[in-house]
Amino acid sequence: MEATHVIEAGEPDTLTVETPLGKARGYSDGSVFSWKGIPYAAPPTGGLRFRSPAAPQPWAGVRDCRAFGPIAPQGHDTSVPIDPTMMLDEDCLTVNVWAPRPDGQPRPVMVWIHGGAYCLGSSAQPVYDGRLLAERGDVVIVTFNYRLGTLGFLDLSSFSSADRVFESNLGLRDQIAALEWVRENIAAFGGDPGEVTLFGESSGGGAITTLMTVPRAEGLFHRAIAQSPPATSVYGAERAATVAARFLEILDLPADRVGDLWDMPVERLVKAGDILVDEVPVRVPGTLAMSPVVDRDLVPHYPVAAFQKGHSHRIPLIIGSNKDEASIFKFMRSPLLPVSAEAVQQMFSGLAQDNPELSALRLAEIVAAYPDSTKPRGALAISRDAAFRMPALWVADGHSRHSPTWMYRFDHATPILKAARVGAGHATELPYVFGNFGTLNVDPTFWLGGRKAAVDVSGRMQRRWLAFTRYAVPAALDGSKHWAPYTEESRSTLLIDSRDRLVADPDQALRVAWGDEVMGFS
């Protein structure tokens, strides 16, 4: 169905648009309007639990879109600032839109995928509010929820039977359904369904690098920005089956009673999933309990290998990582990333065991490239590069052979973050992209100053992200220089800081030590 473009002005602060599914009332938000909590799929409950998202049902009358929809079921984690008054519910598949008043001139669309290690987070987090970006860029911003953890990224398909089918990669299938909703509905909000940029961070960025190799997702987005993607955190079916079996052990549920999962209280599923999320990266450092799976169905290949073999979608890409990615995991005492020399050694031992082609000499050469490898600083650097920096480079290498690619490294940190030895840690670039500072319950970002410099950095990042969205080329640097595309010959990388620099092959020695071919972090 196509959007009908019927617009009704109501009260001075409301705007109702008619979508293919029904009328949606939005509310003024600064100089733009927002519509929140619009369903893009049927509630994934009852017989749809553990199944692909189904089409949403049209509604009668006018749907009031003042408030965000429920958050995807997940455990409690204080590192993710979520409003405690918001409801968690399986019926969570909703989108949010920020847009200037539709005027008949289609605007580019930016669709955000939130991060959270595939098990946490929500589109309702204040840092993801799309108002400022929509205003600044005269674009349409879309954010959405998708299933997480046990219900979204635990692959139970090894327990499927003729009577009960557990589908794989449900969270990715939700993301595709949200993009299909954008294609079919966004024109009603003034957006151009043929000019969609998909952007996301952490597991949201990893979802993007995966979707860029998924045939079913081709054509649903036309540019991509992957911020700190853990692109190699995608595992095989055999490993997924082992994790699923452990999940049943935690629940004390025999395999012949796996059908009980369909009716089990969601709180019990989440609690068991939380145990698994904490347990797996401790037992096997460098891995996640739940993530996309190479099921040979939706996801046909390991994504990074697919990039290197030329199987990624032919679209422009911005990709990058943060200078001090791993620091925040040490600061938060999170088990999701190995941050001690002992854990890093365990990670490499696991790599050697799972990948016999990796010689002990090769692994020793990598460790030797880090002078402080036996100290916390060295362990953090190795973990940063294993999880984020090298996967981003491997993706860029493969993609740049056939499509325009730009590489960045986010280096900026406020004085308090430098003093706390967090620096440009994981996710610290998010306020700069959206322009939303001060969204934490207790936000120390500017306790020692640095606001003016941060606002300047934010403005430059937003200009580049928005220019890429509109023109498929990121905005120029200050002065006459432009952000040169990344190639395997030039390795041009934009270092984003108080003063940005375009550098050829930063950290060359570390890149050479890791090599140019994918290592199996599975």
Side-chain angles (χ1 to χ4, degrees):
M1 298 177 67
E2 294 184 356
T4 55
H5 306 285
V6 175
I7 302 172
E8 300 176 3
E11 297 298 323
D13 64 341
T14 68
L15 187 66
T16 298
V17 301
E18 185 165 356
T19 78
L21 295 169
K23 293 182 178 181
R25 180 188 296 118
Y27 290 82
S28 64
D29 190 358
S31 65
V32 300
F33 288 85
S34 66
W35 293 260
K36 298 173 182 175
I38 305 172
Y40 68 83
T45 56
L48 291 178
R49 182 187 272 184
F50 304 118
R51 299 302 302 269
S52 292
Q57 292 300 307
W59 59 83
V62 178
R63 185 182 189 93
D64 190 80
C65 301
R66 184 189 294 271
F68 290 108
I71 295 172
Q74 57 193 274
H76 176 69
D77 188 305
T78 56
S79 67
V80 177
I82 291 177
D83 184 346
T85 65
M86 295 205 66
M87 181 173 63
L88 277 69
D89 196 287
E90 285 188 78
D91 183 6
C92 62
L93 303 184
T94 60
V95 300
N96 318 295
V97 180
W98 287 263
R101 181 185 291 272
D103 57 7
Q105 190 68 31
R107 291 171 168 84
V109 182
M110 299 181 75
V111 180
W112 174 257
I113 303 182
H114 73 75
Y118 300 109
C119 62
L120 296 166
S122 162
S123 63
Q125 290 173 236
V127 72
Y128 305 140
D129 187 287
R131 178 178 72 84
L132 294 177
L133 206 52
E135 287 181 335
R136 177 156 201 165
D138 192 34
V139 297
V140 176
I141 304 293
V142 178
T143 66
F144 64 91
N145 292 338
Y146 54 96
R147 281 174 284 183
L148 301 168
T150 301
L151 297 171
F153 289 95
L154 176 65
D155 184 1
L156 294 163
S157 62
S158 55
F159 292 105
S160 290
S161 66
D163 299 325
R164 292 284 193 182
V165 175
F166 294 90
E167 292 185 81
S168 56
N169 290 307
L170 295 172
L172 288 180
R173 295 178 193 271
D174 292 345
Q175 293 166 5
I176 291 172
L179 288 167
E180 290 171 341
W181 181 92
V182 169
R183 180 186 62 195
E184 295 159 11
N185 292 269
I186 205 62
F189 301 87
D192 186 346
E195 295 290 341
V196 175
T197 296
L198 189 60
F199 69 135
E201 182 267 346
S202 193
S203 58
I208 290 171
T209 52
T210 299
L211 290 172
M212 286 181 68
T213 68
V214 169
R216 189 179 150 193
E218 189 166 13
L220 292 176
F221 55 101
H222 314 94
R223 329 193 204 303
I225 304 173
Q227 300 170 205
S228 302
T232 49
S233 294
V234 181
Y235 307 119
E238 183 177 345
R239 190 261 191 185
T242 300
V243 173
R246 174 59 186 150
F247 179 73
L248 295 191
E249 286 181 6
I250 293 171
L251 287 171
D252 196 22
L253 187 68
D256 60 2
R257 289 180 50 203
V258 70
D260 291 1
L261 294 174
W262 291 80
D263 302 311
M264 190 172 289
V266 67
E267 294 80 9
R268 189 177 173 196
L269 296 176
V270 169
K271 185 176 180 180
D274 282 352
I275 294 173
L276 202 59
V277 164
D278 290 339
E279 179 181 282
V280 167
V282 172
R283 288 187 174 183
V284 187
T287 66
L288 299 175
M290 304 175 198
S291 68
V293 172
V294 182
D295 54 10
R296 308 300 180 187
D297 174 24
L298 186 75
V299 182
H301 309 290
Y302 288 93
V304 177
F307 273 95
Q308 294 204 328
K309 293 177 182 177
H311 299 321
S312 55
H313 305 330
R314 266 56 175 171
I315 61 173
L317 169 68
I318 292 176
I319 189 168
S321 59
N322 293 0
K323 184 179 181 181
D324 306 300
E325 293 277 8
S327 63
I328 199 73
F329 296 91
K330 181 178 178 62
F331 184 81
M332 301 299 297
R333 298 182 180 178
S334 169
L336 292 175
L337 211 63
V339 294
S340 68
E342 294 76 16
V344 167
Q345 183 56 51
Q346 279 184 270
M347 177 179 72
F348 278 118
S349 297
L351 278 173
Q353 185 175 353
D354 294 340
N355 301 271
E357 72 279 7
L358 293 176
S359 67
L361 177 61
R362 167 87 186 278
L363 295 175
E365 288 174 346
I366 293 173
V367 173
Y370 296 83
D372 300 321
S373 61
T374 61
K375 300 177 182 178
R377 179 180 176 182
L380 289 174
I382 294 173
S383 195
R384 169 202 67 199
D385 293 345
F388 301 107
R389 181 68 174 155
M390 287 312 306
L393 285 168
W394 291 328
V395 165
D397 285 347
H399 197 66
S400 66
R401 293 169 196 155
H402 58 70
S403 297
T405 303
W406 288 267
M407 170 68 72
Y408 75 87
R409 193 182 76 196
F410 184 79
D411 288 8
H412 186 71
T414 61
I416 188 66
L417 292 183
K418 291 178 181 178
R421 298 186 179 180
V422 171
H426 188 64
T428 57
E429 89 285 6
L430 290 175
Y432 296 81
V433 171
F434 283 91
N436 297 324
F437 293 101
T439 61
L440 301 175
N441 292 333
V442 178
D443 195 327
T445 304
F446 301 120
W447 283 1
L448 296 180
R451 180 178 290 275
K452 182 180 184 301
V455 170
D456 288 344
V457 172
S458 175
R460 291 197 303 273
M461 285 192 76
Q462 289 182 329
R463 286 197 296 274
R464 294 191 182 98
W465 269 221
L466 289 165
F468 181 74
T469 296
R470 189 172 292 277
Y471 305 114
V473 177
L477 294 170
D478 294 339
S480 60
K481 291 184 179 179
H482 68 290
W483 183 355
Y486 177 95
T487 67
E488 290 177 282
E489 292 73 32
S490 70
R491 301 193 183 278
S492 295
T493 303
L494 182 68
L495 306 188
I496 300 173
D497 206 337
S498 298
R499 183 174 182 180
D500 298 341
R501 295 182 296 140
L502 195 63
V503 175
D505 202 7
D507 303 320
Q508 179 185 31
L510 297 179
R511 178 187 60 78
V512 171
W514 282 91
D516 296 331
E517 295 185 4
V518 180
M519 295 178 65
F521 292 93
S522 59

